Amino acid sequence: MRNLTPQTITQAFADYAKNAPSARTRTLLVGLADHLHRFVRENGVTPAEWDAAIGALTRATAFTDDKRNEYILFSDLLGVSSLIDMVNAAKSGTPSSVLGPFHIEGAPELANGGDLWRGQVGEPLVVSGRVTDEAGTPAKGCVLALWQNAGNGLYAQQDKAQSPTNYHARLTVAPDGSFAFTTVRPVSYTEPDDGPAGDMLRALGRDAWRPAHLHMIVQAPGHKPLVTEFFPEDDKYLDRDAVFGVRAGLVLPFRRITDRASLPGNLAARDSLPLPVWSAKLDLTLPPA
């Protein structure tokens, strides 16, 4: 197309894509170009500024490997990951949240009532609850994928001193929907900020802190999988989560238990836990598929 102008180039892009094999792909990419073109026009983006943006993406490649993805980090810190989660979230049931970068497939099986803490650094936490559908019926065949950081604030993938699957597990819920396990109370931590995504935070006057949280994927036949995380209500970073993952329905009281008789009866570490111990109750509701 000849005689392009800042006002006509967007339509030219759309016209060039008229033979796209996938209508959905065309819609997404033409829409992306439309937003980018308007962004450039409205802000008068200079060549130097656009070169800096391309340079940041180029540098992100050097920080990306099988344990860290700088592009996902950009998505998280820009709020895009959280926005996609909210746009696609179920309209009922326990709220979802972002997946995060540290979930692993093939985590070890943990018996219901099992122990992930095993006397490691940090304060022990007893997590218990029940998984049901919207009518209150136990979710049959439910499996929980669990993961979190250790008491030193690091996930297993970040810390060579931990085993590769430390604080990662799969737990099969009891037929009545109940579950329990012991773990460490998670702690607040910072997202990696030594790369270009961290440079973006500093340019915005932001920090990289995330409030403490427990990650969970809940899967049961006949239900949409729930990817979520739970936060203690006393964490000081709840209202400034770097990746925008906090939802009101996922903020819970973490209480102290001083009486061993108040602990779930099926806990493997019930008699050895040092009292007082932290406790969190998670009652989950799954929407239909």
Side-chain angles (χ1 to χ4, degrees):
M1 183 175 290
R2 303 179 186 184
N3 301 320
L4 286 174
T5 69
Q7 287 69 41
T8 63
I9 189 172
T10 304
Q11 185 58 51
F13 183 94
D15 292 343
Y16 285 0
K18 65 182 179 181
N19 294 322
S22 166
R24 176 63 174 169
T25 299
R26 182 183 188 279
T27 296
L28 291 174
L29 292 179
V30 169
L32 175 63
D34 177 48
H35 285 288
L36 286 173
H37 292 180
R38 283 191 285 115
F39 174 81
V40 171
R41 287 192 295 264
E42 291 167 3
N43 294 281
V45 176
T46 67
E49 290 167 338
W50 192 244
D51 284 346
I54 298 298
L57 294 177
T58 302
R59 287 182 57 224
T61 303
F63 286 84
T64 298
D65 55 25
D66 60 342
K67 295 182 179 179
R68 170 176 172 179
N69 190 315
E70 195 76 1
Y71 299 99
I72 292 177
L73 186 57
F74 266 121
S75 175
D76 291 347
L77 298 177
L78 285 165
V80 177
S81 299
S82 189
L83 178 59
I84 289 174
D85 167 66
M86 290 187 286
V87 167
N88 291 277
K91 305 304 181 186
S92 60
T94 299
S96 60
S97 188
V98 292
L99 176 67
F102 296 116
H103 171 61
I104 61 174
E105 296 291 345
E109 296 291 331
L110 180 72
N112 201 345
D115 180 27
L116 288 174
W117 177 51
R118 301 189 301 276
Q120 297 181 74
V121 172
E123 299 179 280
L125 168 69
V126 175
V127 181
S128 61
R130 192 164 180 259
V131 186
T132 66
D133 63 17
E134 293 176 327
T137 304
K140 301 293 185 182
C142 182
V143 176
L144 309 179
L146 311 170
W147 72 103
Q148 64 172 95
N149 63 357
N152 63 0
L154 299 175
Y155 287 83
Q157 295 94 321
Q158 299 174 299
D159 186 0
K160 293 181 179 179
Q162 297 182 49
S163 69
T165 58
N166 194 37
Y167 290 117
H168 290 73
R170 286 173 55 84
L171 183 153
T172 299
V173 172
D176 66 354
S178 66
F179 65 91
F181 60 95
T182 49
T183 185
V184 71
R185 176 168 175 151
V187 296
S188 308
Y189 67 93
T190 56
E191 293 284 353
D193 63 354
D194 55 337
D199 293 340
M200 179 190 72
L201 289 182
R202 286 181 283 275
L204 294 170
R206 290 174 52 190
D207 59 43
W209 280 98
R210 288 219 68 198
H213 53 274
L214 302 165
H215 287 282
M216 190 175 291
I217 298 177
V218 188
Q219 293 180 291
H223 296 276
K224 180 179 180 180
L226 171 65
V227 179
T228 193
E229 50 189 346
F230 297 94
F231 305 85
E233 66 180 6
D234 60 350
D235 195 287
K236 65 181 180 180
Y237 297 108
L238 287 174
D239 295 316
R240 48 189 283 202
D241 181 10
V243 307
F244 309 95
V246 178
R247 314 281 184 265
L250 301 177
V251 178
L252 304 171
F254 279 31
R255 296 189 173 95
R256 286 284 202 179
I257 289 182
T258 58
D259 178 12
R260 205 173 298 276
S262 300
L263 297 172
N266 67 333
L267 286 183
R270 188 172 187 270
D271 296 332
S272 60
L273 287 171
L275 296 180
V277 66
W278 289 104
S279 173
K281 189 69 180 294
L282 311 179
D283 286 326
L284 311 174
T285 303
L286 294 181

